[in-house]
Amino acid sequence: MRKIILPFLLCAIALTTSAQMTFTLNGLTYADCAETNLLDGSTTITVPAGTNLSGLITAVQVDGTTVSASQIKPNPTTTNITPGELKVFVYNNKAYGFRFEEDIWFCAVFISDCHTNQTDHDGTSASDLTTIMNNICNMGKDGTKKVSFTTEGATSLVPKTSIVFCLGDIDQDKGDDGSSGTHTNFLNATAEVCKTAGVPFIFIAGNHDFSPDYWGSSNSDKGVTYGSTGGSHADDQTITAIKNNNSYWNNKSVFDENIQYFTGGSGAWQPNHFTFKFKDVRFYCANNYWFQKPYNKPGLLSSATYYAPDGIISTLNSFVDNHTDEASVWMQHYPWLAGSDCNRWWLDQNSGGYYIPASNSSAYGSSTSGIAYNDATSANTLKKDPLSAIMMKAAGRTDGKVQHFSGHYHQFYDATYTSTVNSANQVHDYTVAANGNTNQSNNAFVVLFKRGEGVKEVIQTQF
């Protein structure tokens, strides 16, 4: 339970006074509620959506001293509270006006492609990234609108950050120093800042955080290699960083439903895509992208063995089938349309068109040889169309479109992918610019959500 201190403001019948009435509310913490002083002299207490207003007030204090609720007219602990209705409580001939409302809006901030301390790829210094994250966490706390929403019911909202997402390429290849796989600079500049601010932070991996099939344009430099400086070790470090961060926020009990992972098959390294529910909206998060291939790790004298992602996609499909009534939002590192070579990313091809086929059969093209470089037809048929069909099962679409966020392109991009199989299956993909893009620096999307309904408005801005 918590004590909320509310400044006294006169309602229409109140006498002039400097006294304060405070409440202890059942089962709520400080971060759960917001207080707003209205022009009519009343104070609005905004509580989380779904809060039981019956029995909400459990104790009353005036000027810091507990008073008997029975001495207040009407008794606040037994009064029937109706959302939005003015309640006037009178104590010692002084009147105190309050309204109670459910909070239906929240904001998320999306960033991507930090490339922390990387000297190319629009890299951002750790110090600059720390400043950006502090600005994000403090958005709206001074009462200033960072952005203004046009969605009905939210036009007067001062956006504050409820959760932050980073969509991959967190630092340079294989980690901070290019060999050990650690991600210390990125984590200190992002996750630790959010922990201090008490703002949940979720990040996923990009292609610079997972070993590609090949590092370069040739077909000789394999990404998943053996040893402490190899790609397999770097992948382990990335997954460990993601899962440790996820566990931290799970243990803080900030989610409606804790993070759980999608895996397929046994005995192989897994990309560990995940999902969770936050403020009555389900979030689906893919590390790099949903079709990232699992593999058996290489040995000193043996290469890695790759597997098709079919088991992961089947697990995702089954999960969505059982959660079709939940508003959802989706994300992965790769965009759906942004970039002239977008389709080769979906086909696991490097800039030379090379990729490593899976060792087993696949419905999603991972074992098909001879796919043309950057082949849009293959990318759509094998991967984008099947994934969009799965995503369309979930609730929370806006104007009939699934809401999706991506990075990788380093520039803002806003486009809708339409399935080549079923034109009703549409994915609205918002691609966020890299922080270090010199033309669009310190970039982010500020996203308005409605509890239980999902994305309502997306605004690009800078921090």
Side-chain angles (χ1 to χ4, degrees):
M1 297 197 304
R2 65 158 287 203
K3 183 184 293 184
I4 296 182
I5 299 177
L6 298 165
F8 170 74
L9 288 172
L10 299 178
C11 67
I13 64 171
L15 301 175
T16 301
T17 179
S18 60
Q20 291 182 327
M21 178 175 285
T22 67
F23 296 136
T24 301
L25 302 183
N26 186 28
L28 298 181
T29 64
Y30 180 78
D32 290 326
C33 302
E35 301 145 13
T36 306
N37 299 326
L38 302 181
L39 294 178
D40 66 0
S42 66
T43 298
T44 296
I45 302 175
T46 304
V47 298
T51 298
N52 184 2
L53 298 182
S54 177
L56 179 65
I57 300 173
T58 60
V60 186
Q61 303 80 30
V62 175
D63 287 339
T65 301
T66 299
V67 300
S68 173
S70 62
Q71 297 177 7
I72 301 170
K73 303 300 181 185
N75 185 331
T77 63
T78 58
T79 297
N80 181 39
I81 298 174
T82 301
E85 180 182 357
L86 176 65
K87 292 295 182 183
V88 178
F89 300 114
V90 179
Y91 177 73
N92 281 349
N93 296 320
K94 298 181 179 68
Y96 306 81
F98 298 95
R99 288 180 175 86
F100 292 84
E101 293 182 347
E102 287 188 309
D103 184 14
I104 60 173
W105 306 106
F106 69 96
C107 292
V109 176
F110 287 81
I111 64 172
S112 188
D113 295 86
C114 302
H115 291 282
T116 312
N117 283 352
Q118 193 164 340
T119 56
D120 58 2
H121 286 83
D122 296 321
T124 306
S125 70
S127 59
D128 285 348
L129 186 56
T130 300
T131 299
I132 293 168
M133 293 302 296
N134 273 308
N135 290 340
I136 289 172
C137 289
N138 289 318
M139 180 177 70
K141 289 184 178 180
D142 61 356
T144 301
K145 282 188 177 184
K146 178 66 176 176
V147 298
S148 294
F149 296 118
T150 60
T151 301
E152 184 178 359
T155 56
S156 62
L157 183 71
V158 177
K160 297 182 178 64
T161 305
S162 295
I163 190 169
V164 183
F165 294 93
C166 179
L167 302 182
D169 283 3
I170 59 180
D171 42 39
Q172 62 182 311
D173 295 337
K174 301 184 183 178
D176 282 341
D177 66 2
S179 62
S180 69
T182 59
H183 302 288
T184 305
N185 290 318
F186 168 78
L187 293 171
N188 285 342
T190 56
E192 295 304 318
V193 171
C194 287
K195 289 176 184 179
T196 299
V199 176
F201 174 68
I202 296 295
F203 69 97
I204 60 176
N207 59 296
H208 281 260
D209 312 312
F210 279 166
S211 301
D213 285 0
Y214 298 99
W215 286 110
S217 60
S218 72
N219 65 344
S220 60
D221 186 10
K222 290 185 178 180
V224 180
T225 50
Y226 176 76
S228 61
T229 61
S232 179
H233 175 76
D235 289 353
D236 283 344
Q237 293 287 345
T238 296
I239 285 294
T240 296
I242 290 169
K243 297 184 80 170
N244 285 346
N245 179 73
N246 288 350
S247 294
Y248 175 88
W249 293 109
N250 274 349
N251 291 334
K252 290 295 181 181
S253 300
V254 297
F255 303 130
D256 303 350
E257 175 189 289
N258 276 352
I259 292 169
Q260 53 187 308
Y261 296 91
F262 296 105
T263 58
S266 60
W269 177 92
Q270 299 283 329
N272 283 277
H273 312 310
F274 57 93
T275 183
F276 64 96
K277 198 171 182 182
F278 179 69
K279 296 185 183 293
D280 206 23
V281 175
R282 177 161 298 284
F283 291 83
Y284 290 95
C285 309
N287 283 312
N288 203 11
Y289 80 137
W290 286 102
F291 298 95
Q292 187 79 30
K293 289 179 289 189
Y295 60 82
N296 279 341
K297 294 182 178 182
L300 179 61
L301 301 176
S302 61
S303 298
T305 302
Y306 287 81
Y307 298 97
D310 297 44
I312 297 171
I313 302 302
S314 295
T315 301
L316 171 67
N317 188 38
S318 297
F319 185 90
V320 173
D321 279 340
N322 291 318
H323 295 81
T324 56
D325 59 339
E326 296 176 342
S328 65
V329 64
W330 297 70
M331 66 197 75
Q332 66 175 33
H333 181 64
Y334 285 158
W336 286 71
L337 293 168
S340 60
D341 57 351
C342 171
N343 293 302
R344 76 169 176 87
W345 309 329
W346 284 74
L347 296 171
D348 303 315
Q349 296 174 341
N350 66 5
S351 57
Y354 298 106
Y355 70 101
I356 300 175
S359 61
N360 57 335
S361 61
S362 173
Y364 304 108
S366 294
S367 61
T368 302
S369 61
I371 296 178
Y373 176 75
N374 200 26
D375 184 348
T377 299
S378 293
N380 296 346
T381 303
L382 294 171
K383 298 186 177 181
K384 295 182 184 181
D385 289 345
L387 182 57
S388 66
I390 294 172
M391 296 164 68
M392 282 295 293
K393 298 177 184 179
R397 296 184 291 276
T398 301
D399 297 329
K401 302 173 184 178
V402 175
Q403 302 297 292
H404 188 277
F405 294 87
S406 61
H408 188 73
Y409 184 50
H410 287 211
Q411 300 176 47
F412 284 118
Y413 202 82
D414 182 347
T416 297
Y417 176 78
T418 300
S419 170
T420 62
V421 176
N422 184 348
S423 61
N425 293 352
Q426 296 187 325
V427 179
H428 192 163
D429 186 32
Y430 299 91
T431 303
V432 63
N435 301 119
N437 182 324
T438 55
N439 296 319
Q440 300 176 325
S441 59
N442 306 344
N443 304 287
F445 280 127
V446 176
V447 183
L448 175 69
F449 285 83
K450 190 173 184 180
R451 290 176 184 259
E453 295 186 16
V455 174
K456 291 300 176 183
E457 193 167 346
V458 179
I459 299 178
Q460 67 181 54
T461 189
Q462 296 177 316
F463 286 92

